[in-house]
């Protein structure tokens, strides 16, 4: 009798498990069908703008770029890509940035004073983190008042063998903050983050120069002025000490650097810029979330201009977009399989620290 009861209980448990599994499968199938339906309507619907943003958004990712080909022909996709043209811009004018070595003014009785852009360094650590919000996106702007604290966080001896998370690079250099930087070899979204896909400059030495530049290059010279370069000759002439490539440029010499049609899709984004007083701007935008779909390149340009950027440049985005500060990631991460390993980052050193990596 007991054996029969055990068999009945076992059979009942299997039946319940099967029903639960069936419900889960049906639910997932309905979700997939619903998402497919939404994408179909967007891609095939009457709105040309919605179609273009859909194509650009998915094609900016490593893993799901193929979705555009589900709904549109190669010719239609090529026509959308052709409209994404960068504006022509000139070399960086270093005279637009003046870095003062004068000590900061003491705070008054009412506390720290706001700077020329309305921002306040409340705790006096030389770093300001401001919340950024716009139509369809949320993010954070980190302002590093002393540009000499900003370096490229990389481990060149590990290139091609091992990538590092932003948090690991912050720890490696005993830094206090960091963001992801340049692009890397990432076939179908499964790269190990160890190999840059374009030139990297670390401590004045160039790596992967044979890979060339993507859409420009951003780097800091020996005087801590940020340059946006269009060639390796410009990188050499500017005496770049730290830098990486991704693009496009957002602001050059105080002027918008994007053509009107160059918008990009809506995705998580990372960008870097510099104000006229030398302060470095590090921007991260959340994306692929219910509360923050993501930002376009045009959005980044507008944000950077609003925060006083003389020069600004788009870095790698998507699931790589991360801002680390005070022991944790500040932004909401967009990855599915875990924090991405990367080969390059921009880090903020402790006050008075030097590079020993």
């Amino acid at each position: 009798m007991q054996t029969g009861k055990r068999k009945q209980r076992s059979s009942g448990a299997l039946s319940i498990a099967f029903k639960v599994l069936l419900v889960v499968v049906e639910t997932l199938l309905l979700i997939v069908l619903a998402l497919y339906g939404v994408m179909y309507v967007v891609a095939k619907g009457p709105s040309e703008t919605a179609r273009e943003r859909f194509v650009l958004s998915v094609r900016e990712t490593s893993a799901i770029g193929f979705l555009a080909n589900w709904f549109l022909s190669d010719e239609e996709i090529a026509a959308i890509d052709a409209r994404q043209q960068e504006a022509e811009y000139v070399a960086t004018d270093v005279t637009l940035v003046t870095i003062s070595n004068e000590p900061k003014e003491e705070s008054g009785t009412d506390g720290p004073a706001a700077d020329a852009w309305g921002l306040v360094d409340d705790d006096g650590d030389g770093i300001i983190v401001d919340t950024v919000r716009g139509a369809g996106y949320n993010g954070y702007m980190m302002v590093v008042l002393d540009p000499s604290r900003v370096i490229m966080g990389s481990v060149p001896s590990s290139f091609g063998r091992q990538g590092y998370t932003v948090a690991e690079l912050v720890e490696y250099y005993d830094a206090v903050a960091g963001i992801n930087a340049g692009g890397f070899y990432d076939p179908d979204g499964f790269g190990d983050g160890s190999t840059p896909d374009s030139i990297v400059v670390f401590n004045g030495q160039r790596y992967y120069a044979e890979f060339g530049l993507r859409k420009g290059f951003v780097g800091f010279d020996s005087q801590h002025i940020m340059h946006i370069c269009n060639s390796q000759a410009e990188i050499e002439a500017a005496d770049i000490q730290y830098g990486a490539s991704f693009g496009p440029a957002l602001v050059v010499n105080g002027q918008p650097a994007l053509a009107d049609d160059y918008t990009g899709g809506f995705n998580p984004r990372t960008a870097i810029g510099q104000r006229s007083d030398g302060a470095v701007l590090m921007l991260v935008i959340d994306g692929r979330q219910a509360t923050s779909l993501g930002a376009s390149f045009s959005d980044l340009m507008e944000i950077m201009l609003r925060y006083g950027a003389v020069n600004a440049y788009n870095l790698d985005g998507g699931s790589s977009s991360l801002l680390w500060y005070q022991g944790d990631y500040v932004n909401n991460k967009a990855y599915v399989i875990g924090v991405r390993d990367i080969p390059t980052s921009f880090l903020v050193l402790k006050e008075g620290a030097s590079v020993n990596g």
Side-chain angles (χ1 to χ4, degrees):
M1 292 292 292
Q2 291 181 349
T3 301
K5 290 180 178 179
R6 281 199 297 270
K7 287 183 178 179
Q8 289 177 354
R9 286 197 296 268
S10 177
S11 177
L14 287 173
S15 177
I16 293 173
F18 177 77
K19 290 178 180 178
V20 171
L21 179 61
L22 185 61
V23 170
V24 171
V25 171
E26 289 177 344
T27 302
L28 290 175
L29 181 60
L30 288 172
I31 292 173
V32 170
L33 290 174
L35 289 174
Y36 182 89
V38 170
M39 289 187 293
Y40 183 88
V41 170
V42 171
K44 294 293 188 179
S47 174
E48 184 176 340
T49 299
R51 181 185 309 113
E52 184 168 298
R53 289 302 178 93
F54 166 74
V55 170
L56 295 173
S57 295
V58 298
R59 282 175 58 78
E60 287 171 356
T61 70
S62 300
I64 62 171
F66 63 88
L67 290 178
N69 299 91
W70 280 11
F71 307 100
L72 300 175
S73 67
D74 291 341
E75 291 75 18
E76 289 173 315
I77 294 172
I80 292 174
D81 287 341
R83 288 195 289 272
Q84 298 292 293
Q85 298 296 323
E86 295 178 69
E88 295 184 2
Y89 54 90
V90 297
T92 302
D93 182 356
V94 297
T95 65
L96 298 177
V97 177
T98 302
I99 299 173
S100 175
N101 294 318
E102 296 296 323
K104 300 177 186 177
E105 295 183 5
E106 295 295 326
S107 301
T109 56
D110 295 330
D115 64 16
W117 293 268
L119 300 176
V120 179
D121 181 13
D122 291 314
D123 56 7
D125 68 346
I127 297 174
I128 302 168
V129 178
D130 200 31
T131 301
V132 176
R133 291 188 176 88
Y137 65 82
N138 300 311
Y140 299 90
M141 176 69 83
M142 173 179 285
V143 183
V144 184
L145 301 180
D146 179 2
S148 70
R149 297 173 62 182
V150 177
I151 67 160
M152 170 71 71
S154 296
V155 186
S157 60
S158 294
F159 283 162
R161 296 187 300 105
Q162 177 185 348
Y164 297 83
T165 65
V166 173
E168 289 170 342
L169 288 168
V170 169
E171 181 181 9
Y172 186 91
Y173 285 94
D174 193 26
V176 296
I179 56 173
N180 61 295
F184 55 93
Y185 181 62
D186 190 29
D188 299 321
F190 293 101
D192 63 7
S194 68
T195 306
D197 64 2
S198 46
I199 187 172
V200 170
V201 180
F202 179 85
N203 265 349
Q205 183 171 346
R206 282 180 276 180
Y207 299 86
Y208 295 95
E210 66 276 15
F211 289 179
L213 285 65
R214 291 184 55 134
K215 296 176 181 177
F217 172 95
V218 65
F220 291 85
D221 65 19
S222 56
Q223 302 303 308
H224 315 295
I225 294 177
M226 195 184 96
H227 295 250
I228 297 175
C229 303
N230 294 296
S231 67
Q232 296 201 38
E234 287 186 22
I235 294 173
E236 183 174 2
D239 188 28
I240 298 297
Q241 298 300 300
Y242 299 100
S245 179
F246 199 81
L250 303 170
V251 181
V252 174
N253 297 333
Q255 300 299 315
L258 296 177
D260 292 339
D261 290 337
Y262 200 108
T263 58
F266 297 116
N267 274 304
R269 304 285 187 188
T270 304
I272 190 166
Q274 188 170 44
R275 300 190 315 199
S276 58
D277 65 345
V280 176
L281 307 173
M282 295 182 172
L283 174 65
V284 172
I285 299 294
D286 292 337
R288 302 172 190 168
Q289 301 164 24
T291 57
S292 183
L293 180 62
S296 68
F297 295 137
S298 300
D299 293 326
L300 297 187
M301 182 175 70
E302 186 276 328
I303 294 168
M304 281 293 187
L305 287 169
R306 192 168 74 237
Y307 278 84
V310 171
N311 294 291
Y313 183 85
N314 177 65
L315 299 171
D316 193 8
S319 56
S320 299
S321 288
L322 289 170
L323 168 61
W324 177 274
Y325 178 55
Q326 292 185 335
D328 201 358
Y329 291 110
V330 175
N331 63 307
N332 294 319
K333 301 162 279 293
Y335 55 74
V336 176
I337 59 175
V339 178
R340 298 299 305 271
D341 287 338
I342 56 176
T344 58
S345 65
F346 282 109
L347 303 180
V348 183
L349 300 174
K350 294 178 179 177
E351 290 187 276
S354 60
V355 181
N356 296 313

